[in-house]
Amino acid sequence: MEIKAIRGFNDILPDEIGKWQFVEETVREVFEGFGFDEIRIPILEKTELFIRGIGEATDIVEKEMYTFTDKGGSSLTLRPEATASMARAYLEHKLFTFDPVAKLYCIGPMFRYERPQKGRYRQFYQIDAEVFGVANPVVDAEVILMLIHFLRQVGLEKLELQINSLGCRECRPRYREELRAFLSKKSFQLCEDCQRRLQANPLRIFDCKVQSCQETIVDAPKVSDFICKECDHHFNRVKEHLSMAGLEYVLNPKMVRGLDYYTRTAFEVVSYDLGAQNAVTGGGRYDNLFQEIGGRDIPGIGFAIGMERLISLLPKNKGLKRPLDLFIAVQGKDGKQDAFRIAHQLHLERIRAEFDYEEKSLKSQMRRADKLNARYVLILGEEELKKGRAILRNMANQSQEEIPLQELVQILGRKILRD
Ligand code: AMP
């Protein structure tokens, strides 16, 4: 029986790969311009890292982790997100000894055991950016500005930036109690999951998609009414700096973000490009994460962009598949070796060239060149070859000319650049 891929795990095929490469190149250009460096972290970590880092009462830790015991008896987990691993690496390698401020990014697959559907997979890719070691609100604004600039660079328009403050260790517990008290009176309207969340982590109820839960929280107390003076001051400075940079934002007091570790600034970017609402990315500040994973008291802020969702929103003209530059068609037997030699010479010059490995009629070779969307075809005819010449055909306008083979690389180079 034919073996198929696991449900929720996707192949990214050559036809789409141009978009992925375009996004990844733009990440490197934009993020590195903002002073960020790439970090690569393992796909597997000790389960404990995510339990402590993300929080026990979250959907991810409760039901979405790919956890298994390895042959040595250790409990390991495929990373469901990158922040906890990046923080672990920063601590483990004492990156703070060089400079307390670390601006890091990484791109790679994450794994969550969620119900697969369009835009939701079990292996999906994220672009993560994190700043460790800065508590100052100016950096919150800087991170958000980089995110928006990046999204515009890849061609996304009609973006809406939503921000909120989630308070801190001092003020959030009081809010959590108020919210719990409010929702307890209406608990019969909540879904089964939210009944449980009500005890463990009532803020998560804001994220629930069930209609009756959404209706129940409409009049719920807002975290913004409970934040302490310091959090309020922090949030005001973030807003000031966003405005200073001319960036518009919308306050969304119901946006709480799914993970436990967020404190103070939280943000999401919604794109109206497809007409419907689409959360492309989200992030926020997490000043307690480092303590949770057993480290020092180090503040952090960052975001994660879902690659699949971002790619589905890209304008059609971005990241197109690279066409075949040249197909070498051979007339007669002797031309095969010339085709091989010329193709190799072109490959060294990074010109995409193909030829038929098997002997085929000229007609069938031309058909293949057409199917492969070749921009040019080089026809190696016996008579011309004797003179060191060949026919170069432009497939877009069907014009053709005889050229000296010695000048092929230069001629093609000029044409490919010009078109
Ligand atoms: P989160 O880490 O949950 O804050 O998610 C950040 C971004 O990752 C989201 O805005 C989505 O674009 C993307 N994302 C999260 N979970 C999935 C998933 N299961 N499949 C595809 N993309 C996802």
Side-chain angles (χ1 to χ4, degrees):
M1 203 174 60
E2 191 187 333
I3 299 171
K4 298 262 168 68
I6 311 166
R7 206 159 98 87
F9 287 66
N10 296 318
D11 297 308
I12 301 153
L13 300 175
D15 265 354
E16 322 156 59
I17 210 74
K19 290 189 184 294
W20 288 74
Q21 290 173 341
F22 162 70
V23 167
E24 288 164 4
E25 276 157 27
T26 313
V27 167
R28 291 182 213 289
E29 269 167 33
V30 171
F31 289 16
E32 291 184 11
F34 273 76
F36 283 66
D37 288 311
E38 184 173 355
I39 181 170
R40 297 192 188 189
I41 44 171
I43 280 171
L44 268 183
E45 297 271 4
K46 290 184 183 148
T47 304
E48 177 97 12
L49 175 71
F50 301 117
I51 295 182
R52 296 211 325 234
I54 301 174
E56 244 161 321
T58 56
D59 280 358
I60 293 185
V61 171
E62 273 181 354
K63 41 188 190 191
E64 295 171 2
M65 294 206 305
Y66 275 93
T67 297
F68 65 96
T69 309
D70 76 356
K71 291 194 171 68
S74 310
S75 177
L76 304 179
T77 294
L78 283 171
R79 64 182 187 197
E81 55 108 60
T83 310
S85 305
M86 283 160 85
R88 178 205 45 72
Y90 173 83
L91 288 173
E92 190 168 336
H93 303 285
K94 300 191 171 54
L95 297 185
F96 46 82
T97 50
F98 169 66
D99 189 87
V101 183
K103 297 181 175 179
L104 304 170
Y105 74 89
C106 91
I107 307 173
M110 306 297 153
F111 305 84
R112 293 184 196 171
Y113 195 80
E114 292 192 85
R115 184 129 52 112
Q117 50 186 278
K118 197 173 181 303
R120 193 174 288 282
Y121 310 105
R122 289 181 171 170
Q123 175 179 320
F124 59 97
Y125 284 72
Q126 281 189 340
I127 302 161
D128 278 84
E130 315 288 345
V131 180
F132 298 145
V134 190
N136 196 297
V138 173
V139 89
D140 302 25
E142 205 175 71
V143 164
I144 293 172
L145 286 169
M146 177 172 87
L147 171 63
I148 299 291
H149 178 63
F150 165 74
L151 294 174
R152 287 183 181 152
Q153 285 296 111
V154 295
L156 263 62
E157 283 169 23
K158 294 182 231 136
L159 299 172
E160 183 176 281
L161 166 67
Q162 302 184 351
I163 58 172
N164 192 19
S165 174
L166 303 182
C168 64
R169 263 203 187 132
E170 305 304 317
C171 53
R172 195 153 67 195
R174 194 161 69 85
Y175 170 64
R176 196 182 293 134
E177 283 325 304
E178 284 288 330
L179 184 64
R180 190 178 281 134
F182 171 88
L183 291 171
S184 295
K185 287 185 224 137
K186 305 177 170 207
S187 66
F188 58 93
Q189 292 174 21
L190 298 174
C191 71
E192 220 171 278
D193 274 345
C194 285
Q195 306 251 356
R196 206 167 26 82
R197 288 177 185 136
L198 186 57
Q199 295 317 316
N201 191 353
L203 268 77
R204 296 296 326 279
I205 296 173
F206 282 106
D207 287 338
C208 184
K209 301 278 178 290
V210 176
Q211 177 85 16
S212 61
C213 299
Q214 282 291 321
E215 285 164 11
T216 315
I217 52 167
V218 169
D219 311 316
K222 313 255 179 323
V223 62
S224 43
D225 296 331
F226 289 81
I227 61 176
C228 61
K229 236 172 72 194
E230 288 75 20
C231 287
D232 193 42
H233 177 67
H234 185 101
F235 198 36
N236 284 334
R237 294 211 45 220
V238 177
K239 290 187 275 187
E240 261 167 44
H241 282 80
L242 291 177
S243 302
M244 218 187 282
L247 192 63
E248 285 179 19
Y249 56 82
V250 173
L251 295 176
N252 180 356
K254 292 207 181 109
M255 186 235 303
V256 295
R257 310 279 307 129
L259 313 184
D260 261 7
Y261 55 53
Y262 287 116
T263 51
R264 295 195 164 164
T265 317
F267 52 90
E268 277 186 2
V269 180
V270 164
S271 163
Y272 294 103
D273 264 351
L274 289 182
Q277 274 208 9
N278 263 305
V280 190
T281 166
R285 178 165 276 288
Y286 42 85
D287 292 344
N288 304 328
L289 171 72
F290 279 89
Q291 281 176 332
E292 297 294 341
I293 62 171
R296 310 146 157 240
D297 190 6
I298 293 167
I301 176 159
F303 59 77
I305 307 172
M307 283 272 266
E308 286 82 356
R309 213 169 286 185
L310 178 67
I311 280 165
S312 75
L313 290 168
L314 284 188
K316 286 212 167 37
N317 61 348
K318 299 283 184 193
L320 296 177
K321 190 180 173 194
R322 192 175 156 194
L324 179 64
D325 297 319
L326 183 77
F327 188 88
I328 306 169
V330 180
Q331 250 179 339
K333 273 197 187 116
D334 300 341
K336 270 271 158 293
Q337 285 182 1
D338 293 291
F340 166 75
R341 192 178 40 77
I342 294 169
H344 179 59
Q345 194 189 1
L346 294 173
H347 292 160
L348 298 181
E349 299 297 327
R350 299 191 205 155
I351 296 175
R352 277 173 84 124
E354 283 291 336
F355 62 98
D356 257 324
Y357 299 109
E358 307 302 332
E359 241 164 74
K360 296 271 170 62
S361 69
L362 185 63
K363 204 166 152 199
S364 129
Q365 294 177 70
M366 293 304 283
R367 258 204 312 271
R368 181 149 177 252
D370 213 27
K371 195 177 72 186
L372 295 177
N373 246 335
R375 295 163 72 183
Y376 290 88
V377 176
L378 186 73
I379 305 167
L380 300 181
E382 274 168 305
E383 287 310 308
E384 290 88 0
L385 262 180
K386 281 186 201 147
K387 293 182 278 168
R389 301 174 77 85
I391 291 167
L392 185 65
R393 184 182 175 88
N394 180 332
M395 296 297 273
N397 60 18
Q398 308 291 319
S399 66
Q400 52 186 50
E401 59 188 307
E402 201 184 286
I403 58 155
L405 278 171
Q406 254 185 340
E407 288 169 31
L408 178 66
V409 171
Q410 289 88 325
I411 294 173
L412 268 182
R414 274 202 305 273
K415 285 183 186 294
I416 289 165
L417 271 184
R418 198 184 55 208
D419 292 354

